[in-house]
Amino acid sequence: MLFAGHLILFHSSAAVAENRTIASPFEIPRKYRVLHWTTANGLPADKIKALAQTPDGYIWIATRNGLVRFDGVEFRPFADLNCLCLFVDQSGSLWIGTRDGLFVLAHGEIRRIVLVGREDSKLSQAICGRKAGGIWVDYGGLLFSINGNENRAC
């Protein structure tokens, strides 16, 4: 759950949540434990832009002051990027849309993706998966298709 300046995670030791009607969307069943983090706990900014979880279990947090990896205990600053969006693809790579362009984190390394015909544009605002594999990216107002090492404007 995201609130400005706060990361709130819910978890349960039970495999299945209670099957009951909840009177309020803010009511939390008793068997859930609520943990609350802020900048005082290591978040780099007051506002979280996006969250994603990679197959290795890490939670990635995008903020205007950087990308942070969270292991459930502590926050580790990972990249000094002004992040706008995150997406985990079928291979487990983390795609990072920023005000400075599009980046991908794969095998522990971050690299910038230069899109054909958009070398001058830097704003990457939205990323989503394609049913046939690859991703769609809103890049400076244009829609791009990326699959493997190929990218093209649509």
Side-chain angles (χ1 to χ4, degrees):
M1 207 174 230
L2 295 176
F3 293 96
H6 306 285
L7 171 63
I8 301 173
L9 299 178
F10 299 93
H11 77 85
S12 172
S13 58
V16 179
E18 291 179 14
N19 190 7
R20 67 182 182 97
T21 304
I22 297 176
S24 163
F26 297 105
E27 179 184 341
I28 301 168
R30 288 186 196 126
K31 67 172 149 184
Y32 287 97
R33 187 173 144 204
V34 178
L35 304 172
H36 176 114
W37 291 275
T38 67
T39 52
N41 304 103
L43 282 173
D46 294 341
K47 192 171 186 182
I48 294 170
K49 299 287 189 172
L51 290 171
Q53 186 171 19
T54 48
D56 56 11
Y58 289 115
I59 296 173
W60 295 88
I61 304 162
T63 75
R64 64 182 169 88
N65 292 344
L67 178 66
V68 178
R69 187 178 77 184
F70 183 61
D71 62 8
V73 177
E74 65 183 348
F75 297 96
R76 178 177 171 243
F78 207 82
D80 187 21
L81 299 168
N82 186 344
C83 302
L84 299 172
C85 58
L86 299 173
F87 180 76
V88 179
D89 69 15
Q90 294 172 344
S91 71
S93 295
L94 178 68
W95 293 84
I96 309 151
T98 77
R99 292 198 180 279
D100 297 316
L102 180 65
F103 295 82
V104 63
L105 171 63
H107 311 294
E109 293 185 24
I110 292 181
R111 65 184 170 93
R112 182 166 190 204
I113 305 298
V114 177
L115 298 176
V116 175
R118 296 301 290 180
E119 295 82 7
D120 62 331
S121 180
K122 296 184 176 186
L123 187 62
S124 181
Q125 300 181 111
I127 306 166
C128 70
R130 294 179 48 200
K131 189 174 184 178
I135 62 170
W136 294 107
V137 179
D138 171 1
Y139 199 76
L142 290 177
L143 182 63
F144 275 79
S145 169
I146 300 175
N147 200 349
N149 289 327
E150 295 181 15
N151 68 73
R152 63 183 172 84
C154 298

